Amino acid sequence: MTTPPPTRIAKDLANRKLIVQRTFFGPIDLVWRAWTEKDLLEQWWAPKPFKAVTKSYDFREGGHWLYYMLGPDGSKMFACFNFHTIQPQRGFTGDDFFCDENGVRTDLYPGMAWKNEFRPVPEGTEVTVDVTFQSEADLQRIVELGFEEGFTMAHGNLDELLAQHR
């Protein structure tokens, strides 16, 4: 069995960005589905032992994903992703922010803008995620909260999910 490539996360402080690159062993149609279909997304999005639980999901331009991270102690941390643009199997953009259970934005943690791009490569599918923040301080705050570790762990969950579909 081949070890999946590591998640690479670069900080571009001048432009207030985190740039995440990862190649997944799966065809673009399956990787795209894993990032855009609620039932698949819930299976990998949260770093273990947390679980992603969807409250509402509408994958279309102008739609949103309202979800929470369910902690092992039963705690819930709500977030919302608003979809702005969607180009099937090529990419999507949107903004993500922490919120209450009704999707009302809170100031507890900084929000961020996401640009997710997908492209086929010989090994499978390369996904590049540009996450942009309002300020460098916001970027640093999210990094301090464990973004890099959590997102990397979630990618490991996605590797496991994709392996089940091979």
Side-chain angles (χ1 to χ4, degrees):
M1 179 175 209
T2 304
T3 302
T7 297
R8 296 183 311 261
I9 301 177
K11 293 177 192 166
D12 177 357
L13 297 179
N15 292 303
R16 307 169 326 277
K17 288 184 180 222
L18 293 173
I19 301 152
V20 182
Q21 288 189 306
R22 180 64 143 73
T23 297
F24 296 98
F25 294 151
I28 197 163
D29 60 329
L30 179 57
V31 173
W32 174 261
R33 288 181 49 224
W35 281 74
T36 61
E37 292 183 10
K38 174 184 74 74
D39 294 339
L40 295 174
L41 186 57
E42 284 181 321
Q43 294 180 49
W44 70 269
W45 185 254
K48 294 174 184 169
F50 291 85
K51 292 183 178 183
V53 180
T54 298
K55 187 167 179 190
S56 61
Y57 189 84
D58 183 10
F59 184 67
R60 64 176 175 83
E61 292 182 354
H64 72 274
W65 179 32
L66 176 58
Y67 64 99
Y68 59 88
M69 297 284 191
L70 178 62
D73 62 354
S75 63
K76 297 177 182 176
M77 180 174 283
F78 283 87
C80 186
F81 191 103
N82 290 322
F83 300 106
H84 293 196
T85 63
I86 298 171
Q87 295 180 302
Q89 298 190 13
R90 293 185 57 205
F92 63 91
T93 64
D95 61 289
D96 186 50
F97 54 90
F98 294 91
C99 61
D100 67 15
E101 64 187 36
N102 298 310
V104 177
R105 185 184 297 257
T106 66
D107 293 329
L108 191 58
Y109 301 107
M112 52 201 103
W114 290 63
K115 178 181 178 186
N116 304 325
E117 297 178 320
F118 300 74
R119 74 180 183 97
V121 294
E123 303 84 14
T125 302
E126 181 181 83
V127 179
T128 302
V129 180
D130 283 1
V131 185
T132 304
F133 298 83
Q134 289 284 327
S135 70
E136 185 179 329
D138 287 351
L139 183 156
Q140 296 290 10
R141 178 100 195 274
I142 291 296
V143 168
E144 289 168 8
L145 288 171
F147 175 88
E148 294 175 84
E149 297 83 0
F151 205 31
T152 298
M153 290 173 66
H155 287 167
N157 298 341
L158 180 51
D159 288 331
E160 293 173 12
L161 177 66
L162 294 171
Q164 294 171 15
H165 288 82
R166 280 190 221 138

